[in-house]
Amino acid sequence: MKYLSFLVCVVAIIFSGCDSAAPSVKLAVKSPTDATKYLYRNLAELSQENILFGHQDDRAYGVHWWAEEGGSDVKAVSGSYPALHGWDIGKISQSEANLDSVNFDDMRRWIISNYENGSVNTVSWHMYNPTSSGDSWDTTATVKAILPDGVYHNAYVEKLDKAVDFFRSCQINDTLVPIIFRPFHEHNGNWFWWGKGHCIEEDYIALWRFTFDYFEDKGLNNLIWAFSPDRSRLNIENARQEYLYGYPGDDYVDIIGLDNYADMGRENEHVSAEEQIENYKRGLRIITELAREKNKIAALSETGLEQIPVDNWFTKHLLNPIKGADDIQIAYIMVWRNANQQHFYASYPGHRSEADFKSFYQDPIILLESDLDRIYE
Ligand code: BMA
């Protein structure tokens, strides 16, 4: 089958001039490693028909368990790990474990193991505030102060160096594990110190670019850079323009992401479930369109409905609205973490969403780890 499609491609190229349907995507880093390049291309290719399903901290803990080797709520329901694994390196510079208590040594082991299993890793960074001892929600004015020439610049660079060490240590057989890196997320909201209202747009962009260049200089040619504004702070009527607030530029971004919890079925007296579904589609249409124009990949970088109080949430809110839509093409969807019985977003054995999650992942569009085939080649 593979050879057949290869032949068809070669013949198509000979007869039509190079008109493959897959976008000819190119990464922002100048010298990406082969594995990173192939991953990005394969995601672009796969996104034409499929969506990788992802889950934050999937292997680290679940609703009723903690750090059991082989554990995964997604796997317990479906038989497979998710196709994409989200991690967070908040606290990397100050502790053995991240802010959600995942030990960095374990995280590294799981990141490498996912790579060996042929699934994908993405890393966000709830970065502690470099100018105070506070966390990422401590909105003490910071961004300007950590840019070159800022008084806290060195403190910032020290944090970056810790992240560089961590990313470098995620390697096997001299190959750095490719990672979709998603720093400074939801920056159009005002809840993080890098958010709107706590710095000017120009400084946000300067911070992103400085960080990109710094990591590239340190040889991190395994990073795929994901930009991810939050839907709740986009006026849907003007969302395309507002989405680009803080956009660091096509040379600094690979993934046109969106975090969306706002349109996902949460009770809202002002917006019905049906309107939310419409808005969900509109948001994804916008990032699809932008990704196509920019020759990049779109993704629903974070989503979910806490506690999944709707039996058919996975099909009704997540999958069905985008099934068969030509104007929506996203490489992956990632739901947030299963921290405990109050704070969880993925199905687990015995939960009311279990049967519906089965229909969701059994849909040919949705890919889990076991559906992926040589994504790094
Ligand atoms: C938030 C919540 C917090 C968590 C943080 C970073 O959305 O899940 O409990 O500490 O993300 O992962």
Side-chain angles (χ1 to χ4, degrees):
M1 192 60 197
K2 283 257 151 65
Y3 290 111
L4 187 62
S5 26
F6 175 71
L7 260 181
V8 170
C9 250
V10 171
V11 172
I13 287 167
I14 292 171
F15 284 99
S16 71
C18 205
D19 207 9
S20 147
S24 52
V25 292
K26 194 167 156 290
L27 284 161
V29 288
K30 287 179 219 70
S31 315
T33 66
D34 284 346
T36 314
K37 214 159 47 190
Y38 295 139
L39 170 62
Y40 191 55
R41 275 192 209 160
N42 285 328
L43 286 175
E45 180 88 41
L46 280 173
S47 70
Q48 297 186 77
E49 302 281 336
N50 294 107
I51 300 172
L52 277 70
F53 177 72
H55 183 211
Q56 181 77 3
D57 285 347
D58 184 76
R59 296 180 65 174
Y61 52 81
V63 172
H64 293 296
W65 58 278
W66 176 264
E68 285 163 29
E69 215 42 58
S72 157
D73 282 346
V74 168
K75 189 174 183 187
V77 175
S78 70
S80 169
Y81 287 124
L84 177 114
H85 296 260
W87 306 103
D88 192 275
I89 56 168
K91 257 192 176 169
I92 185 109
S93 48
Q94 64 243 64
S95 138
E96 300 290 298
N98 84 348
L99 78 165
D100 299 318
S101 309
V102 181
N103 194 291
F104 285 112
D105 288 337
D106 290 333
M107 196 187 292
R108 174 187 308 108
R109 199 161 41 76
W110 286 319
I111 286 177
I112 295 171
S113 157
N114 293 333
Y115 169 73
E116 291 182 301
N117 292 345
S119 58
V120 183
N121 293 287
T122 177
V123 171
S124 55
W125 195 351
H126 282 81
M127 194 192 291
Y128 276 54
N129 189 321
T131 71
S132 67
S133 51
D135 57 23
S136 53
W137 292 271
D138 172 351
T139 54
T140 307
T142 296
V143 174
K144 192 154 203 81
I146 61 176
L147 288 173
D149 297 335
V151 278
Y152 287 95
H153 183 63
N154 291 344
Y156 180 59
V157 168
E158 266 171 42
K159 277 189 191 293
L160 293 188
D161 285 336
K162 297 281 188 210
V164 168
D165 288 348
F166 180 74
F167 286 139
R168 276 206 189 126
S169 73
C170 293
Q171 62 165 285
I172 178 146
N173 304 328
D174 293 328
T175 302
L176 289 171
V177 174
I179 283 170
I180 299 175
F181 182 45
R182 190 169 67 91
F184 311 124
H185 63 301
E186 302 173 4
H187 64 287
N188 59 334
N190 64 350
W191 43 90
F192 297 130
W193 55 257
W194 56 85
K196 212 173 186 170
H198 310 301
C199 65
I200 57 169
E201 183 178 20
E202 201 186 329
D203 288 345
Y204 176 83
I205 292 175
L207 182 65
W208 183 292
R209 291 184 178 172
F210 172 83
T211 309
F212 180 100
D213 291 338
Y214 191 84
F215 280 6
E216 187 169 43
D217 285 350
K218 294 283 175 187
L220 291 181
N221 293 317
N222 58 326
L223 300 185
I224 296 176
W225 290 72
F227 177 72
S228 59
D230 191 82
R231 155 68 183 106
S232 70
R233 297 302 163 92
L234 297 175
N235 169 2
I236 200 71
E237 302 303 333
N238 193 29
R240 191 191 141 104
Q241 197 189 334
E242 291 184 11
Y243 177 91
L244 293 171
Y245 169 80
Y247 185 67
D250 293 348
D251 293 344
Y252 294 88
V253 171
D254 301 302
I255 293 195
I256 303 295
L258 184 67
D259 285 13
N260 192 350
Y261 294 91
D263 300 324
M264 307 313 296
R266 202 177 339 174
E267 291 264 345
N268 181 331
E269 52 183 300
H270 303 296
V271 194
S272 68
E274 282 59 41
E275 282 172 274
Q276 289 190 32
I277 289 173
E278 270 320 300
N279 291 340
Y280 167 61
K281 293 198 276 192
R282 289 172 80 174
L284 294 182
R285 269 188 219 121
I286 288 166
I287 58 169
T288 301
E289 191 179 285
L290 284 165
R292 282 180 182 163
E293 286 169 19
K294 295 174 178 302
N295 249 319
K296 300 190 186 292
I297 297 174
L300 183 53
S301 34
E302 253 188 63
T303 191
L305 178 62
E306 194 177 50
Q307 295 186 14
I308 327 168
V310 181
D311 286 346
N312 58 353
W313 183 81
F314 284 97
T315 52
K316 181 178 175 201
H317 288 269
L318 204 54
L319 178 61
N320 292 349
I322 56 182
K323 244 175 108 160
D326 292 337
D327 50 1
I328 295 177
Q329 210 169 65
I330 50 174
Y332 59 88
I333 281 174
M334 187 178 80
V335 296
W336 202 238
R337 63 200 200 100
N338 277 16
N340 52 50
Q341 286 179 71
Q342 279 70 47
H343 188 49
F344 66 89
Y345 297 86
S347 193
Y348 62 87
H351 187 260
R352 62 191 286 177
S353 63
E354 206 181 337
D356 180 58
F357 184 65
K358 287 196 169 132
S359 317
F360 170 80
Y361 76 74
Q362 281 168 356
D363 192 291
I365 291 177
I366 299 298
L367 305 180
L368 300 178
E369 182 181 273
S370 59
D371 301 313
L372 296 177
D373 181 27
R374 294 178 293 173
I375 201 156
Y376 297 103
E377 289 172 36

